[in-house]
Amino acid sequence: MKEFKPIFDYDAQGPLYIAGPCSAESREQVLAAARGVAAEGVKIFRAGVWKPRTKPGMFEGVGAEALEWLREAKEECGLSVITEVATPEHLEAALRSGIDGVWIGARTTTNPFAMQQIADALEGVDIAVLVKNPVIPDVNLWIGAIERIYNSGVRRIAAVHRGFGTHQATLYRNDPHWSVPIELQRLLPEMTILSDPSHIGGRRDLIAPLSQQALDLGFAGLMIECHPEPDEALSDAMQQITPSVLGDILSSVVWRRTPADADVLRDFRIHIDTIDSRLIELLAERMEVARGIGELKRRHGMAVVQRERFNELLEAAEDRAEAIGVSRRFIHQIFSAIHEESVRQQVSDVEKKVEKK
Ligand code: PEP
Ligand code: MN
């Protein structure tokens, strides 16, 4: 896959921005959002017409009727408009209304049958198709979904990184796992990759820092949820921001252009960032296991610190490190810090349990 084209004509000297509400709720709300984002210089407008909700009983979008409001927003504000499609029927209805592009949601990307049906319906159609990452951090599942669209002849394809579902309590609504989109970019260097800080963060205050982080990591642009009255939003209220807050964020983020001779440095940095993300993810996983051990020891009345076990572990780690040219002293320091934190996690977990009783 090498013949990707830009999804829209835009000024490649800066990031590509897509903004608009999570859901199209009413004609007035759509038009207010469209006018608001257009006034902030955004050229591509998003709004969900059919909403995939995790649980039944939540607002599932108003459906095809809202496509007419999007068309009106496009005409009045001169925006390109995009919406989410999950079935060939959605796609056909969206195409009939003159949509400029569609995005495939994370839950749909996860399902190869659904992807193939949409890809088949896209044959011979020239629109922009944005493929959000699947719910699980599997780069091959993401690439497979993109490949199905590519094989149908579409070339205006972009990937959108929106984070990954997790059962762990983290700062984010969807864990970024930055190493996954970075790997995707390495494998498909010609394709545009955007970031969606709204769905990653799930909170308004995380949108600005996540946006900057994404641009620093080399993403080509951002998709941000924006609502005229965020607190009243029928879906994803916590993460939507007003057009004026969006304007503040877009004018404060820094787009660091890399001169050609800095490309190599940039590649090294991306590599380092990927490794660091993996290190952090591995440490989090290790702490999770340590908490499990703490719980087991508590049940069996065992002491948290088993001195012998730690000495053995340290000795083995130092030997392994030395064999591949890493300093024993350095590994000793790192493992002592990791062990200390593991013990702290086990103790505090036990403490919390005791307090509850
Ligand atoms: C959305 O963009 O509103 C949406 C539902 O996205 P995702 O598929 O990333 O959850
Ligand atoms: Mn949303």
Side-chain angles (χ1 to χ4, degrees):
M1 289 188 275
K2 285 193 183 322
E3 297 163 23
F4 292 99
K5 294 198 177 132
I7 48 170
F8 292 108
D9 287 335
Y10 74 101
D11 174 13
Q13 298 306 305
L16 185 154
Y17 294 126
I18 301 174
C22 179
S23 306
E25 298 168 2
S26 68
R27 178 176 175 271
E28 292 65 38
Q29 174 250 12
V30 167
L31 291 176
R35 288 173 192 137
V37 305
E40 300 302 336
V42 171
K43 304 273 189 295
I44 306 159
F45 183 66
R46 61 149 283 154
V49 167
W50 300 278
K51 300 301 301 175
R53 306 314 300 276
T54 300
K55 291 188 176 153
M58 301 164 96
F59 176 66
E60 295 191 327
V62 300
E65 184 193 351
L67 292 168
E68 184 55 31
W69 311 332
L70 264 61
R71 208 179 49 75
E72 227 177 304
K74 168 184 162 129
E75 274 163 21
E76 184 190 311
C77 305
L79 294 155
S80 296
V81 294
I82 65 171
T83 196
E84 173 166 350
V85 297
T87 66
E89 292 75 26
H90 291 165
L91 176 68
E92 277 143 25
L95 289 172
R96 275 197 303 276
S97 79
I99 206 90
D100 298 296
V102 294
W103 80 83
I104 317 284
R107 295 158 190 81
T108 310
T109 307
T110 309
N111 179 348
F113 291 123
M115 283 311 303
Q116 192 56 53
Q117 287 185 339
I118 297 169
D120 290 345
L122 276 166
E123 236 165 273
V125 176
D126 180 23
I127 57 166
V129 179
L130 289 75
V131 183
K132 289 200 159 193
N133 64 251
V135 177
I136 55 168
D138 179 344
V139 77
N140 286 317
L141 192 56
W142 199 358
I143 291 180
I146 292 164
E147 200 168 341
R148 289 175 199 277
I149 303 293
Y150 188 91
N151 288 346
S152 75
V154 177
R155 291 294 176 266
R156 291 161 59 202
I157 301 178
V160 182
H161 168 235
R162 51 77 79 194
F164 301 89
T166 170
H167 64 282
Q168 282 167 348
T170 71
L171 175 63
Y172 309 104
R173 178 177 176 199
N174 289 295
D175 196 320
H177 283 294
W178 294 104
S179 56
V180 178
I182 289 169
E183 177 65 1
L184 180 72
Q185 186 77 92
R186 194 180 70 76
L187 295 169
L188 298 177
E190 319 292 332
M191 185 185 61
T192 302
I193 306 194
L194 309 173
S195 188
D196 170 349
S198 308
H199 287 89
I200 295 173
R203 287 169 30 174
R204 288 170 201 159
D205 60 336
L206 291 179
I207 293 173
L210 282 167
S211 297
Q212 187 63 58
Q213 202 170 357
L215 296 183
D216 288 347
L217 287 173
F219 285 76
L222 305 167
M223 182 197 269
I224 298 180
E225 285 191 341
C226 196
H227 191 289
E229 289 175 276
D231 287 334
E232 309 302 319
L234 299 180
S235 59
D236 290 352
M238 305 291 286
Q239 69 196 34
Q240 302 212 55
I241 52 174
T242 61
S244 95
V245 170
L246 175 77
D248 292 344
I249 293 176
L250 298 190
S251 52
S252 71
V253 289
V254 184
W255 172 252
R256 292 177 236 275
R257 284 200 288 140
T258 33
D261 61 354
D263 276 353
V264 181
L265 178 63
R266 178 174 169 274
D267 285 352
F268 275 125
R269 288 194 172 139
I270 289 176
H271 196 173
I272 286 272
D273 289 338
T274 312
I275 293 171
D276 288 350
S277 305
R278 269 167 38 209
L279 279 175
I280 293 167
E281 283 158 21
L282 283 172
L283 285 172
E285 202 176 318
R286 196 188 191 285
M287 292 308 153
E288 180 83 32
V289 175
R291 283 192 289 274
I293 294 179
E295 175 66 25
L296 189 73
K297 285 180 184 161
R298 188 187 66 81
R299 277 210 305 277
H300 293 278
M302 287 164 76
V304 163
V305 181
Q306 313 269 314
R307 191 40 64 194
E308 256 172 351
R309 157 89 181 133
F310 178 56
N311 284 339
E312 277 168 27
L313 182 151
L314 195 57
E315 207 35 51
E318 285 178 24
D319 288 348
R320 260 206 311 279
E322 194 171 30
I324 54 169
V326 179
S327 129
R328 287 190 88 90
R329 197 170 139 263
F330 172 59
I331 288 300
H332 188 101
Q333 285 172 339
I334 299 265
F335 272 71
S336 300
I338 292 176
H339 183 250
E340 191 183 322
E341 175 63 7
S342 263
V343 169
R344 202 186 65 77
Q345 292 277 339
Q346 295 181 36
V347 172
S348 63
D349 214 35
V350 174
E351 278 170 2
K352 262 186 256 143
K353 296 254 154 52
V354 173
E355 265 167 28
K356 260 194 229 154
K357 284 198 177 146

